[in-house]
Amino acid sequence: MAEETPALPWKADVQAARKGDPSAFEALVRSVQRQVYGLALRLLNSEAEAAEVSQEAFLRAYQNLHRYDDARPFDLWVMAITRNLCLDLLRRRTKVRTEELEPMKEVLPSGEVSLEEGAIARQERQSLEEAMATLSVEDREVLALYYVQKRTTKEIAQLLGCAPGTIMARLFRAREKLRKKMSTEEPT
């Protein structure tokens, strides 16, 4: 019974969207658009490509809404579409653009953090993003799903099509790689 709970909030909107209600599909998109864009951004390291992949993912979700299984959470279904599109795009790339790191946008509350604290926080985020960019797509993906999107290992396993134990092992290895990368950058 607990596994069906996450799918319930989307059932009414999915059924209405299947019948042609555009506002129902819009509600579905709004409910997962940040998660979809966030995953695409983490995997692709490009805001423009992430936006393009997000739009394509929603288009494909709309076109294949009749194939959606109500027993699965809607957000995980769209995330799987997004992931597959990202991996396809990464395979098509002819060269890796490592010199083109897009810095994170400022998301600090206005006026509540001193300039010094803000500069330190930005530098820490930038260092983390640069270290993340050196990891493999698989490592970035599992870290983003777990820490940024706050997904459980069970949800990630369902999304990636493997066992939860495999996800726990991948998380451990990815954290270790990130920790080593961050510790080698600190002395400079």
Side-chain angles (χ1 to χ4, degrees):
M1 184 80 179
E3 287 184 30
E4 290 183 37
T5 306
L8 293 178
W10 294 295
K11 280 191 177 183
D13 284 334
V14 168
Q15 289 171 351
R18 282 177 175 158
K19 293 176 183 174
D21 181 358
S23 63
F25 189 74
E26 184 181 333
L28 290 168
V29 169
R30 269 189 268 111
S31 70
V32 296
Q33 67 186 6
R34 289 187 70 195
Q35 298 167 11
V36 165
Y37 177 77
L39 177 63
L41 183 60
R42 291 279 177 199
L43 294 179
L44 301 173
N45 283 330
S46 165
E47 291 180 8
E49 288 178 330
E52 190 174 318
V53 164
S54 297
Q55 287 179 347
E56 179 67 21
F58 287 119
L59 176 63
R60 291 200 184 176
Y62 182 76
Q63 291 170 337
N64 294 292
L65 202 55
H66 63 282
R67 293 183 179 172
Y68 167 64
D69 176 9
D70 291 341
R72 280 185 77 190
F74 180 78
D75 61 339
L76 292 181
W77 181 66
V78 177
M79 297 283 281
I81 294 170
T82 305
R83 175 182 183 265
N84 290 336
L85 289 170
C86 288
L87 295 179
D88 288 346
L89 181 60
L90 288 169
R91 280 191 283 270
R92 286 194 308 267
R93 285 183 180 170
T94 55
K95 68 176 190 174
V96 178
R97 297 173 285 168
T98 54
E99 71 280 353
E100 198 178 300
L101 293 174
E102 294 182 337
M104 289 202 44
K105 293 196 170 159
E106 289 185 52
V107 284
L108 296 173
S110 59
E112 300 210 2
V113 176
S114 73
L115 292 176
E116 182 180 358
E117 291 171 335
I120 291 169
R122 279 190 301 280
Q123 181 60 44
E124 288 173 349
R125 279 195 308 274
Q126 184 175 0
S127 295
L128 177 61
E129 288 299 318
E130 288 172 0
M132 286 280 291
T134 65
L135 298 177
S136 69
V137 172
E138 293 81 13
D139 289 340
R140 286 195 319 261
E141 175 181 46
V142 74
L143 288 170
L145 288 169
Y146 189 77
Y147 288 105
V148 178
Q149 304 233 345
K150 307 289 188 222
R151 298 291 179 171
T152 65
T153 53
K154 186 176 179 181
E155 288 174 327
I156 298 169
Q158 186 179 10
L159 178 64
L160 303 184
C162 58
T166 303
I167 297 302
M168 291 180 358
R170 284 179 58 189
L171 270 170
F172 177 79
R173 286 192 300 270
R175 280 191 296 252
E176 285 300 304
K177 289 177 189 175
L178 189 60
R179 183 186 57 77
K180 286 178 184 173
K181 183 66 179 168
M182 294 294 291
S183 66
T184 58
E185 290 180 359
E186 285 179 17
T188 46

